Amino acid sequence: MLTFKTTAQLIILGCTWCLGILQVGPAAHVMAYLFIIINSLQGFFIFLVYCLLSQQVREQYKKWFKGIRNRRAESEKY
């Protein structure tokens, strides 16, 4: 799993710089827009790889959502 996470991070971070290097010629504007979009989503992609693919983190999110639902159900009773 660590190898997968490392490879995913390398692809996420390397992909944007490949687009950054390709900002020459007639397609420079398109590459610039893709660079900006993918670069702004890097944090989200890293969150997906490290948090949502981790079993422990998913279990904690389940507990947290169950707690929110239970509090909402209790407040609706009263």
Side-chain angles (χ1 to χ4, degrees), residues 41-60:
L41 293 173
Q42 275 183 351
F44 176 70
F45 291 142
I46 292 172
F47 170 76
L48 286 177
V49 170
Y50 281 98
C51 294
L52 295 184
L53 294 180
S54 173
Q55 183 66 29
Q56 292 175 331
V57 174
R58 282 186 294 192
E59 289 174 4
Q60 290 299 319

Side-chain angles (χ1 to χ4, degrees), residues 57-71:
V57 174
R58 282 186 294 192
E59 289 174 4
Q60 290 299 319
Y61 274 124
K62 286 179 187 177
K63 288 180 185 177
W64 186 66
F65 284 126
K66 284 181 183 177
I68 289 175
R69 276 192 246 150
N70 291 341
R71 281 189 227 135

